[in-house]
């Protein structure tokens, strides 16, 4: 008996998605709840599982097709046997995925995002496999359409790397032809649905809002000393590292309490204010920038905020963030410092009216009590919608954040 596979509900207001990659082909065996296709929506990639065990009998959509929620995209012949067993192969694949996750669990989020060569166009599933197994996609020969990488190509490369170090033994002649001829090449690749959405939203923000950015610099000495003094106790008690983002999230909550317009947005001819702070945190994922939300940040302690951020980073790398994770948000924090940025003018995340940009910390000479000293300094930037937020309010909000970071006690006694 054939069972139809339909596009599931993808989230509130999301009515369609794009076929990013078929993880199974006709004749392949599948187990219950084993993913058969990766769908890309405006915000996240979603793996669609098979509701039954059997064999893929037909694919009714191609890679790149746009499919609506409820549309039939494949069928499974229930109980049949195919090219692979329905139980052993998924188990081995799961084991390999868990091994890859364990190997990379201690690596930094920014390193994970940067480890995939951005010049290559990879599907969400392939990118996840590359990150999980720590392989270099530029050294793998793709067997997919037009020579593109498939998930199976990555898994095969990972096996070779573990078993016999094949990546080190690869013949150097493979790259020789391009170098010898000096051929100039270009490639046209259709933008992913997520990248198109990011482009539209950011351009829309520039066209709709009256954007302006105010800057300040922060002496990070007090925060660095606090982290150094309490990091071991903090990690032991809360099982999470004490990072910088927790300090800035709490500092932002103080500022937004005193400057509520920076935590509001315009809807029609009304201003919507919030008595809570939901902070969107910009996170680099393999298939684009995502902004999961820390709910009720004003009511959370440092440990809970740090755990939320770590969880978002982990799930962004794995491609398991959901639409609900990114719904809402009243204010955004974007940390370009992890990539080495010295200064930037971040763009607001509509419909929000303000975004805080963090940058790298570097030793600089500053004047303190009439003397020139070297201090760890960071430039911070607040971009805001001038239609709603006046310059005085924006400068005040940024100044409150600066003072809270330079004297963290303020965050404890609500000053």
């Amino acid at each position: 008996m054939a069972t139809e596979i339909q596009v599931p509900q993808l989230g509130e207001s999301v009515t369609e998605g794009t076929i990013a990659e078929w993880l199974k082909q006709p004749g392949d065996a599948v187990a219950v709840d084993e993913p058969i296709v990766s769908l890309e929506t405006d915000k996240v990639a979603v793996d669609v599982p098979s509701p039954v065990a059997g064999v893929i009998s037909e694919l009714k959509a191609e890679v790149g097709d746009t499919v609506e929620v409820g549309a039939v995209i494949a069928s499974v012949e229930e109980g049949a046997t195919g090219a692979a067993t329905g139980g052993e192969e998924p188990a081995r694949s799961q084991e390999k995925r868990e091994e890859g996750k364990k190997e990379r669990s201690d690596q930094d989020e920014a390193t994970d995002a940067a480890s995939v060569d951005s010049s290559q166009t990879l599907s969400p599933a392939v990118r996840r496999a590359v990150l999980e197994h720590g392989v270099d996609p530029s050294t793998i020969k793709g067997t997919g359409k037009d020579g593109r990488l498939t998930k199976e190509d990555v898994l095969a490369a990972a096996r070779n790397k573990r078993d016999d170090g094949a990546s080190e033994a690869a013949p150097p002649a493979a790259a020789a032809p391009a170098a010898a001829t000096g051929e100039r090449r270009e490639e046209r690749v259709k933008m992913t649905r997520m990248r198109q959405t990011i482009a539209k939203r950011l351009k829309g923000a520039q066209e709709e809002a009256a954007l302006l950015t105010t800057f300040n610099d922060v002496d990070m000495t007090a925060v660095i000393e606090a982290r150094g003094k309490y990091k071991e106790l903090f990690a032991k008690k809360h099982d999470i590292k004490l990072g910088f983002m927790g300090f800035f999230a709490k500092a932002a909550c103080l500022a937004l309490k005193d400057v509520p317009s920076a935590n509001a947005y315009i809807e029609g001819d009304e201003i919507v204010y919030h008595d809570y702070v939901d902070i969107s945190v910009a996170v680099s994922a393999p298939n684009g920038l995502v902004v999961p939300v820390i709910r009720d940040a004003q009511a959370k302690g440092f440990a809970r905020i740090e755990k939320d951020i770590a969880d978002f980073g982990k799930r962004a790398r794995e491609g398991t963030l959901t639409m609900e994770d990114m719904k809402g948000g009243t204010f955004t924090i974007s940390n370009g410092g992890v990539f080495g940025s010295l200064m930037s003018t971040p763009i607001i995340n509509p419909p929000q009216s303000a975004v805080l940009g963090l940058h790298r910390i570097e030793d600089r000479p500053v004047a303190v009590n009439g003397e020139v000293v070297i201090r760890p300094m960071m430039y911070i930037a607040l971009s805001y919608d001038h239609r709603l937020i006046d310059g005085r309010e924006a400068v005040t909000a940024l100044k409150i954040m600066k003072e809270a970071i330079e004297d963290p006690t303020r965050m404890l006694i609500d000053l």
Side-chain angles (χ1 to χ4, degrees):
M1 180 179 69
T3 299
E4 295 183 333
I5 309 298
Q6 296 180 320
V7 178
Q9 290 294 327
L10 301 172
E12 184 179 350
S13 77
V14 179
T15 60
E16 62 183 22
T18 299
I19 302 290
E21 180 186 12
W22 283 106
L23 308 177
K24 295 290 184 178
Q25 296 296 324
D28 289 349
V30 293
V32 176
D33 292 331
E34 183 179 5
I36 64 170
V37 63
S38 179
L39 289 179
E40 190 173 72
T41 70
D42 293 345
K43 294 184 177 181
V44 295
V46 179
D47 286 345
V48 179
S50 173
V52 297
V55 173
I56 300 293
S57 58
E58 183 182 7
L59 304 182
K60 299 185 178 182
E62 297 182 358
V63 172
D65 286 355
T66 296
V67 290
E68 296 184 352
V69 171
V72 177
I73 54 176
S75 58
V76 176
E77 194 65 32
E78 188 174 352
T81 58
T85 62
E88 295 181 1
E89 185 61 25
R92 288 197 295 269
S93 298
Q94 177 65 23
E95 181 180 353
K96 292 171 185 174
R97 284 196 294 271
E98 293 300 326
E99 289 176 1
K101 292 176 185 177
K102 182 176 180 181
E103 291 172 2
R104 298 180 57 80
S105 62
D106 294 330
Q107 296 188 20
D108 182 80
E109 172 187 322
T111 305
D112 286 332
S115 64
V116 179
D117 184 355
S118 61
S119 65
Q120 300 190 57
T121 300
L122 308 178
S123 72
V126 173
R127 282 184 176 271
R128 287 198 296 275
V130 167
L131 291 175
E132 288 174 1
H133 295 281
V135 296
D136 183 356
S138 65
T139 64
I140 306 173
K141 183 177 180 180
T143 60
K145 184 178 179 181
D146 299 326
R148 296 191 180 179
L149 290 184
T150 66
K151 187 176 181 180
E152 287 70 27
D153 296 334
V154 176
L155 295 177
R159 285 194 296 269
N160 291 337
K161 181 180 178 181
R162 284 197 301 268
D163 294 341
D164 55 14
S167 61
E168 295 180 0
T181 61
E183 180 183 358
R184 287 156 53 92
R185 302 170 62 185
E186 64 178 37
E187 180 182 9
R188 291 181 181 271
V189 178
K190 185 177 179 180
M191 293 173 68
T192 64
R193 174 179 288 270
M194 181 179 290
R195 178 52 57 186
Q196 291 180 49
T197 300
I198 292 172
K200 290 176 182 177
R201 284 175 61 83
L202 293 180
K203 188 58 181 175
Q206 286 185 318
E207 293 175 349
E208 178 70 17
L211 290 178
L212 190 61
T213 304
T214 183
F215 298 91
N216 215 318
D217 59 356
V218 177
D219 185 343
M220 298 293 293
T221 300
V223 168
I224 292 174
E225 290 178 349
R227 290 184 71 218
K229 184 176 181 179
Y230 297 112
K231 64 180 181 181
E232 292 184 3
L233 288 174
F234 188 88
K236 183 177 180 180
K237 180 176 181 178
H238 300 291
D239 195 29
I240 190 70
K241 292 181 180 179
L242 178 60
F244 290 114
M245 284 294 287
F247 286 94
F248 279 101
K250 296 304 291 183
C253 290
L254 280 182
L256 299 178
K257 179 181 178 181
D258 286 356
V259 187
S261 60
N263 194 44
Y265 59 79
I266 296 175
E267 189 174 85
D269 59 356
E270 297 179 329
I271 300 174
V272 181
Y273 292 96
H274 306 91
D275 66 354
Y276 55 88
V277 179
D278 285 353
I279 297 181
S280 302
V281 181
V283 176
S284 290
N287 53 343
L289 187 71
V290 293
V291 280
V293 180
I294 303 173
R295 312 285 177 189
D296 293 313
Q298 82 288 346
K300 291 182 176 179
F302 281 77
R304 184 66 263 167
I305 290 175
E306 292 291 354
K307 287 181 179 180
D308 285 352
I309 294 172
D311 178 59
F312 289 150
K314 177 177 180 291
R315 290 196 287 139
R317 293 191 297 270
E318 297 171 352
T320 57
L321 286 172
T322 66
M323 298 290 289
E324 190 64 27
D325 292 324
M326 290 174 279
K327 180 182 176 182
T330 61
F331 182 79
T332 294
I333 299 179
S334 178
N335 186 4
V338 296
F339 303 108
S341 171
L342 175 65
M343 186 179 293
S344 67
T345 55
I347 299 177
I348 63 174
N349 179 24
Q352 298 172 20
S353 297
V355 53
L356 174 66
L358 308 182
H359 304 91
R360 74 170 185 249
I361 302 171
E362 62 177 8
D363 290 339
R364 292 202 300 269
V366 294
V368 178
N369 297 325
E371 295 183 357
V372 176
V373 296
I374 303 298
R375 291 290 176 85
M377 304 296 294
M378 176 196 288
Y379 289 116
I380 56 176
L382 185 73
S383 290
Y384 58 99
D385 187 348
H386 212 342
R387 297 177 303 164
L388 173 59
I389 304 170
D390 294 332
R392 176 185 60 82
E393 294 174 312
V395 172
T396 299
L398 198 61
K399 185 171 179 288
I400 293 173
M401 296 180 207
K402 168 186 169 69
E403 292 172 345
I405 295 298
E406 293 183 340
D407 183 8
T409 305
R410 288 174 173 266
M411 289 182 270
L412 301 177
I413 58 178
D414 193 17
L415 283 180

